[in-house]
């Protein structure tokens, strides 16, 4: 599992960064257009205006690009513990996911269908902006899933090694000095004396 999460993590981050770069460009183009409407443009009666949701997506793209130094280890990580760093990454991704989702949902609700004006450049910019916003959100979903799997794996207690006790029964052979488990165990000899003048003998 750890190998799969490691292999998938960097490609998902790269996909997020690509979407963030494209989203940054598209939102900048959109804001520049709405804040500097050309003369004779029928949009909003020719009066310059500001799209808050476009600015929100611009901030999301900047936050997404802000993860590059930490993922590539170009900047020192604020947390040294590996488990705490994983939880920090999960929390940061969750906040970014929520902000990105708000931008995607609100922009889609404002411009649900722009097919009627596809011949105009501003409409094509909006369509591409929402498409890359959703693609970036999908990449964030994948990163959060991997972060959750990693956190669960690290939080799981390690299994204790199985302890097996072997009970060796003593073995007694015909030989009084037969080695048992590497130890020479002599038999106990009882010494008894005979009568006066008698010889001692061993009773085995």
């Amino acid at each position: 599992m750890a190998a799969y999460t490691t292999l998938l993590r960097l490609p998902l981050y790269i996909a997020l960064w690509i979407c963030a770069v494209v989203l940054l460009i598209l939102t900048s183009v959109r804001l520049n257009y709405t804040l500097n409407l050309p003369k004779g443009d029928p949009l909003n009666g020719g009066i310059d205006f500001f799209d808050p949701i476009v600015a929100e997506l611009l901030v999301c793209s900047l936050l997404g690009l802000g993860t590059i130094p930490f993922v590539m280890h170009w900047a020192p990580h604020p947390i040294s513990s590996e488990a705490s760093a994983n939880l920090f990454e999960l929390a940061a991704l969750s906040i970014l996911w929520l902000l990105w989702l708000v931008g995607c949902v609100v922009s889609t609700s404002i411009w649900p269908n722009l097919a009627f004006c596809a011949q105009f450049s501003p409409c094509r910019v909006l369509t591409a902006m929402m498409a890359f916003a959703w693609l970036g959100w999908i990449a964030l979903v994948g990163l959060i899933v991997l972060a959750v799997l990693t956190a669960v794996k690290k939080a799981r207690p390690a299994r204790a090694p199985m302890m097996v006790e072997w009970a060796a029964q003593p073995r007694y052979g015909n030989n009084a000095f037969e080695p048992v488990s590497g130890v020479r165990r002599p038999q106990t000899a009882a010494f008894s004396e005979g009568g006066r003048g008698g010889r001692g003998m061993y009773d085995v």
Side-chain angles (χ1 to χ4, degrees):
M1 179 64 71
Y4 287 112
T5 55
T6 303
L7 290 175
L8 293 175
R9 183 172 175 266
L10 185 57
L12 283 175
Y13 266 113
I14 293 176
L16 174 64
W17 298 335
I18 293 175
C19 293
V21 169
V22 177
L23 187 61
L24 177 63
I25 295 172
L26 294 174
T27 51
S28 300
V29 171
R30 174 66 182 180
L31 288 175
N32 181 67
Y33 167 70
T34 56
L35 292 175
N36 302 279
L37 288 175
K39 292 182 179 180
D41 196 311
L43 184 63
N44 198 37
I47 302 174
D48 298 343
F49 66 99
F50 175 75
D51 278 328
I53 195 60
V54 177
E56 195 266 354
L57 287 174
L58 175 65
V59 173
C60 289
S61 64
L62 292 174
L63 291 176
L65 293 175
T67 61
I68 294 179
F70 299 101
V71 175
M72 301 303 294
H73 303 288
W74 294 340
H77 205 283
I79 300 176
S80 58
S81 173
E82 186 176 356
S84 300
N86 181 257
L87 293 178
F88 177 80
E89 179 185 11
L90 180 58
L93 288 174
S94 300
I95 295 173
L96 188 58
W97 173 86
L98 181 60
L99 294 174
W100 211 292
L101 179 63
V102 170
C104 292
V105 171
V106 174
S107 61
T108 304
S109 64
I110 296 175
W111 303 290
N113 186 10
L114 296 174
F116 68 95
C117 62
Q119 67 272 20
F120 300 108
S121 177
C123 288
R124 292 195 296 269
V125 169
L126 283 175
T127 303
M129 181 189 73
M130 291 186 291
F132 278 96
W134 281 111
L135 289 175
W137 179 81
I138 293 173
L140 282 171
V141 171
L143 287 170
I144 289 176
V145 170
L146 292 181
V148 169
L149 292 177
T150 304
V152 170
K153 181 178 181 297
K154 291 180 179 179
R156 184 183 304 170
R159 295 182 179 179
M162 184 179 297
M163 303 297 295
V164 180
E165 296 182 357
W166 297 91
Q169 298 295 331
R171 295 181 293 108
Y172 298 99
N174 296 327
N175 187 359
F177 293 93
E178 180 181 359
V180 178
S181 300
V183 179
R184 297 177 64 86
R185 186 187 301 273
Q187 290 184 347
T188 304
F191 178 79
S192 61
E193 293 186 358
R196 179 180 298 179
R199 294 188 307 170
M201 63 180 178
Y202 291 92
D203 294 331
V204 179

